[in-house]
């Protein structure tokens, strides 16, 4: 897609690239290391810059994981399984992922988030809610990272409430 970025020779240049990247968005340690390794062949230089970033507190996996988990659950309404998978892909250790998910679980209710997503989906559907549409909602909620038990429980509750029996005239 893109060519190889211009190779940098000095620690100052590499540090500047790292700080500019961090100003755009937070990065995990592994993401930043990959980014810097693309910009310099010198592994020692990359290690020096990474140590400097960690020392100055600009990069911290535990803080990143907590911020990422909070943002994904609150604004994107994603479940814990999806958040954990995305954090693992960013190179965050499982111990820090567990701590971040535990902390966000204290402030969010998975059942409420599932209910909100179901209601939003149901508003977008026209016509009768059949098995196929229910399976589609179920699949989308599983992909969003919610546990199957919670999804099934909330779907059953919503279906019993939302679809009243119509008496023939």
């Amino acid at each position: 897609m893109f060519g190889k970025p211009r190779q940098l020779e000095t620690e100052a240049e590499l540090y500047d690239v790292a700080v500019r990247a961090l100003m755009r968005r937070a990065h995990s340690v592994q993401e930043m290391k990959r980014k810097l390794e693309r910009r310099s062949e010198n592994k020692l230089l990359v290690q020096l810059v990474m140590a400097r970033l960690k020392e100055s507190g600009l990069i911290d996996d535990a803080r990143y994981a907590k911020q990422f988990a909070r943002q994904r659950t609150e604004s994107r309404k994603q479940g814990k399984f999806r958040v954990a998978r995305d954090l693992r892909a960013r190179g965050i250790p499982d111990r820090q992922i567990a701590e971040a998910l535990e902390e966000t679980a204290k402030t969010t209710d998975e059942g409420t988030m599932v209910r909100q997503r179901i209601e939003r989906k149901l508003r977008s559907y026209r016509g009768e809610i059949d098995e196929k549409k229910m399976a589609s909602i179920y699949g989308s909620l599983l992909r969003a990272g919610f546990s199957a038990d919670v999804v099934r429980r909330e779907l059953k509750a919503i279906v019993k409430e939302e679809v009243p029996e119509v008496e023939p005239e």
Side-chain angles (χ1 to χ4, degrees):
M1 184 161 68
F2 294 108
K4 195 166 183 168
R6 184 175 68 89
Q7 295 296 295
L8 303 174
E9 308 296 322
T10 68
E11 181 185 352
E13 288 176 321
L14 206 55
Y15 185 77
D16 194 41
V17 164
V19 170
R20 280 198 313 265
L22 287 169
M23 286 178 5
R24 285 189 294 276
R25 75 168 180 86
H27 288 70
S28 70
V29 171
Q30 186 179 11
E31 285 177 314
M32 182 56 70
K33 188 174 180 186
R34 247 186 268 127
K35 182 180 281 293
L36 295 177
E37 285 174 346
R38 281 197 317 267
R39 297 299 301 262
S40 176
E41 299 290 324
N42 187 342
K43 301 283 185 212
L44 182 62
L45 203 59
V46 170
Q47 288 177 344
L48 280 170
V49 171
M50 290 300 296
R52 192 169 156 196
L53 289 170
K54 288 178 188 175
E55 193 176 294
S56 62
L58 291 175
I59 198 162
D60 177 19
D61 274 350
R63 188 180 65 222
Y64 175 79
K66 289 175 185 170
Q67 174 191 351
F68 185 91
R70 187 176 55 250
Q71 189 266 334
R72 289 293 176 102
T73 53
E74 290 174 3
S75 36
R76 291 192 183 184
K77 305 283 189 238
Q78 291 179 338
K80 63 184 175 189
F81 298 118
R82 171 75 180 268
V83 173
R85 186 182 71 209
D86 290 349
L87 282 169
R88 261 186 220 98
R90 286 170 162 74
I92 305 295
D94 285 341
R95 177 179 41 81
Q96 291 172 338
I97 292 172
E99 289 172 12
L101 291 175
E102 195 176 295
E103 192 172 297
T104 55
K106 293 175 186 172
T107 60
T108 58
D109 178 30
E110 193 176 29
T112 304
M113 288 194 305
V114 168
R115 237 185 334 276
Q116 290 170 346
R117 285 183 75 124
I118 291 170
E119 288 166 359
R120 193 173 71 223
K121 276 275 198 206
L122 289 175
R123 282 195 300 271
S124 70
Y125 286 144
R126 287 178 175 51
E128 189 179 317
I129 307 299
D130 58 359
E131 293 282 321
K132 191 174 177 184
K133 289 179 182 172
M134 291 303 278
S136 169
I137 292 171
Y138 182 75
S140 75
L141 289 167
L142 289 181
R143 283 188 301 280
F146 296 105
S147 70
D149 295 337
V150 173
V151 171
R152 267 191 240 103
R153 184 183 69 226
E154 295 302 329
L155 272 174
K156 283 179 184 174
I158 293 262
V159 168
K160 287 176 185 170
E161 293 170 14
E162 301 264 332
V163 186
E165 291 295 319
V166 179
E167 295 179 23
E169 295 177 10

